[in-house]
Amino acid sequence: MTLAAKDVAQYLKDHPEFFTQYADVLAQITFPDPHGGRAVSITERQIVTLRDQIKRLENKLAELIRFGEENDALSGKAHRLDVALAGAADVGGVLRVLYAHLGGDFAVPHVAVRLWEVAGDAAAPEFTPMSAAAHEFAAALKRPYCGAGSGPDVLGWFGERGSHVRSLALVTLRRGNETFGLLALGSEEPQRFYPEMGTLYLERIGEVAAAALHRTLS
């Protein structure tokens, strides 16, 4: 009868007492060293395997710690932004806070805001009339857009350096179900804002920015 390797493995799993009854077999079994050409005993092989497992777990733990530290840092930045927006007394103050914190604390090199269907300084770039296509694009966003530099008229919002933008995050500003603006973040780094990235903090920033603008515009 020919035994398949999986049958032998299953037998040993089902009968852990085997090596107790045949302890001498352990001394006769050798394995190729995964890190060299020599043969090693089963005990040495188990030690190597455990070391590899520990190394993988250490790497995973280091990755989780790094993610936790990054989230803590983002939470701190978002909190400082929230506090500053809460203290802004007028629309100009809200906009200054957004530009200062997103451009400084969050290190986003290009930040622009556009608002419509609200009263404001017609001479300010934030109240520059936008096309119907831009309004429709913003209203259709269910979550922040992250990806290659695109979107109606957006790159022009950043001025002369808009042509250098390689990735964008576009966050809709809403008052209830009504869309009244768009927050645009741009970067020269192609992977700063990418389609698969998480957008939780972008959504929260959009919500607090919209609330602050709505309060001061009203």
Side-chain angles (χ1 to χ4, degrees), residues 54-125:
I54 290 171
K55 185 63 176 178
R56 287 195 295 271
L57 290 173
E58 287 176 343
N59 291 337
K60 187 63 176 179
L61 178 59
E63 183 181 27
L64 291 173
I65 291 173
R66 179 171 59 82
F67 287 154
E69 290 173 344
E70 290 176 354
N71 280 332
D72 284 345
L74 281 173
S75 294
K77 294 174 183 179
H79 176 69
R80 290 190 289 273
L81 174 61
D82 292 350
V83 171
L85 286 173
D90 53 30
V91 175
V94 171
L95 293 172
R96 285 191 294 274
V97 165
L98 287 174
Y99 293 138
H101 280 257
L102 295 175
D105 217 2
F106 286 88
V108 179
H110 305 283
V111 182
V113 176
R114 288 297 184 272
L115 305 168
W116 54 85
E117 297 181 3
V118 291
D121 182 0

Side-chain angles (χ1 to χ4, degrees), residues 8-36:
V8 175
Q10 188 61 52
Y11 177 85
L12 293 175
K13 289 180 181 179
D14 294 340
H15 299 83
E17 74 284 357
F18 175 83
F19 286 113
T20 301
Q21 297 172 358
Y22 299 94
D24 58 313
V25 174
L26 286 174
Q28 301 173 26
I29 297 176
T30 59
F31 300 86
D33 185 347
H35 305 300

Side-chain angles (χ1 to χ4, degrees), residues 4 29 38 49 56 62 98 100-101 119-120 123 134 148 157 161-162 167 182 188 195 215:
I29 297 176
R38 69 188 184 91
T49 299
R56 287 195 295 271
L98 287 174
H101 280 257
W157 300 357
R161 294 190 59 81
S167 63
L182 197 62
E188 286 88 356
R215 170 176 57 82

